[in-house]
Amino acid sequence: LEHDEDVGAVIVGFDRNINYYKIQYAQLCINENPGCEFVATNCDAVTHLTDAQEWAGNGSMVGAIKGCTGREPTVVGKPSPLMIDYLADKLKLDKSRICMVGDRLDTDVLFGTDNGLKTVLVLSGVTSEEKLLSDENAITPDFYANTINDFFQDEEEEANGVVTTEQEEAVVEQQ
């Protein structure tokens, strides 16, 4: 198989059309092009393309390339510190004053806890309350809520200083 010897980086992101040719082409570039970088956008084991089921995530594609090259990728997405370190430096932000909000324990919350951020898990996506509170879970957010909408009041209620019981109970500090 011929390949472009000028390729300086192989970037693996989620690809619904992954196939053997693409894996082999990536392997050739990484193993045969001097200095070729191997970059992964994330290593998520699963993703949710539909509400009905989990699908193989980008981690499966990264794993295929790791397996045939013997190389570890540079991960640029969550939970890698690359993104937050850049933003904190560029924008002169104190990381202890940043809150990461997301719906995945293994990426969003782990990204926050590993990088010194406060964390809020919303239960409207990947992670259920059952999974969060299970004995098997080792990743703990600072707070959790049912949805991101729990953070917002109706404009009229806000103008009148009204907070509903539902809103008071929406954000629960993790014990």
Side-chain angles (χ1 to χ4, degrees), residues 2-156:
E2 301 259 339
H3 74 284
D4 185 344
E5 296 178 8
D6 292 330
V7 171
V10 171
I11 301 171
V12 180
F14 184 76
D15 181 354
R16 289 184 190 198
N17 299 306
I18 189 78
N19 58 47
Y20 190 79
Y21 174 85
K22 290 178 180 182
I23 294 168
Q24 176 61 11
Y25 197 90
Q27 183 273 136
L28 289 171
C29 291
I30 292 168
N31 285 341
E32 295 185 9
N33 293 1
C36 185
E37 296 289 330
F38 174 22
V39 178
T41 58
N42 66 72
C43 292
D44 296 356
V46 295
T47 190
H48 291 81
L49 300 178
T50 70
D51 290 338
Q53 58 193 189
E54 291 182 330
W55 291 68
N58 196 53
S60 63
M61 296 162 216
V62 172
I65 307 300
K66 283 172 51 173
C68 63
T69 62
R71 297 250 317 262
E72 289 291 326
T74 299
V75 179
V76 297
K78 299 172 291 188
S80 168
L82 186 70
M83 183 175 20
I84 193 64
D85 288 348
Y86 172 79
L87 290 171
D89 182 58
K90 177 91 173 157
L91 301 173
K92 310 274 187 270
L93 300 172
D94 175 0
K95 290 199 283 185
S96 69
R97 296 182 47 86
I98 299 172
C99 185
M100 176 65 191
V101 179
D103 70 342
R104 291 183 74 128
L105 288 167
D106 62 338
T107 56
D108 303 322
V109 174
L110 188 61
F111 172 76
T113 57
D114 283 357
N115 291 290
L117 314 177
K118 290 290 185 192
T119 58
V120 175
L121 176 72
V122 290
L123 302 173
S124 54
V126 174
T127 305
S128 67
E129 187 172 31
E130 179 181 346
K131 182 175 182 177
L132 169 65
L133 300 176
S134 75
D135 291 337
E136 293 81 40
N137 176 37
I139 303 168
T140 307
D142 295 301
F143 306 94
Y144 70 97
N146 288 323
T147 74
I148 193 72
N149 293 328
D150 291 341
F151 291 92
F152 305 101
Q153 288 182 293
D154 178 283
E155 287 181 20
E156 186 177 314

